[in-house]
Amino acid sequence: MSVVDLPVARAREQLKSVLDAADAGVPTTIIRAGRRVAVVDAVLLRATLAHTLRPDVQLAHEAGEWAAFMPGTPLSGTGRTTDEAVDDLIAALQEYAEDWTDHLRHAPNHRDAWALVQLVELSTDEELRDWLTGAHG
């Protein structure tokens, strides 16, 4: 089954088919106000983003404290252990995703964070930890 470019009214009428197609990995789009919006399986999207995006987490130890940071981003975390620093980085990622959705997405220097924000929003804390540390990569 291929569902492509359904207008909103038809997508509403055929919501079960639209969701079934997305669940099966079939390209599924809805047209709204002249723009195409993709309907995708969240698990597949998350897995693709986790595979595509590389966090490049750096760890540093200074004055009895660990820092975990992602170069090129404003994101970092600190703690007495590396695990605590990564936990703090996870919290920073989640806070950033919330701020991005609320207002940062309009800022020119944050627009390109869309994929990172989607990954954070679609992930559990444990999935973020695995992604950041390369535990299941």
Side-chain angles (χ1 to χ4, degrees):
M1 169 177 45
S2 179
V3 179
V4 177
D5 292 338
L6 286 176
V8 172
R10 280 201 50 219
R12 245 187 254 127
E13 293 168 4
Q14 299 177 14
L15 183 59
K16 182 184 180 322
S17 295
V18 168
L19 296 176
D20 287 346
D23 188 44
V26 174
T28 307
T29 59
I30 298 171
I31 300 173
R32 180 176 177 226
R35 293 186 53 128
R36 293 173 72 200
V37 178
V39 181
V40 299
D41 178 271
V43 173
L44 291 174
L45 177 58
R46 192 217 159 268
T48 299
L49 291 170
H51 178 74
T52 304
L53 299 174
R54 298 290 176 213
D56 188 30
V57 173
Q58 304 290 310
L59 294 170
H61 188 260
E62 186 175 313
E65 188 168 73
W66 283 95
F69 59 97
M70 295 172 64
T73 74
L75 303 165
S76 65
T78 58
R80 291 174 304 180
T81 66
T82 57
D83 283 341
E84 287 179 7
V86 170
D87 286 343
D88 198 39
L89 179 56
I90 290 169
L93 278 161
Q94 292 166 332
E95 184 177 329
Y96 178 77
E98 190 175 304
D99 289 345
W100 187 91
T101 300
D102 181 54
H103 61 279
L104 290 177
R105 65 192 160 103
H106 302 296
N109 59 329
H110 291 276
R111 281 190 193 126
D112 290 343
W114 179 90
L116 175 62
V117 170
Q118 300 307 308
L119 176 62
V120 171
E121 291 294 341
L122 294 171
S123 298
T124 64
D125 288 1
E126 191 60 35
E127 288 169 331
L128 286 173
R129 171 176 291 288
D130 289 347
W131 176 69
L132 289 168
T133 63
H136 295 287

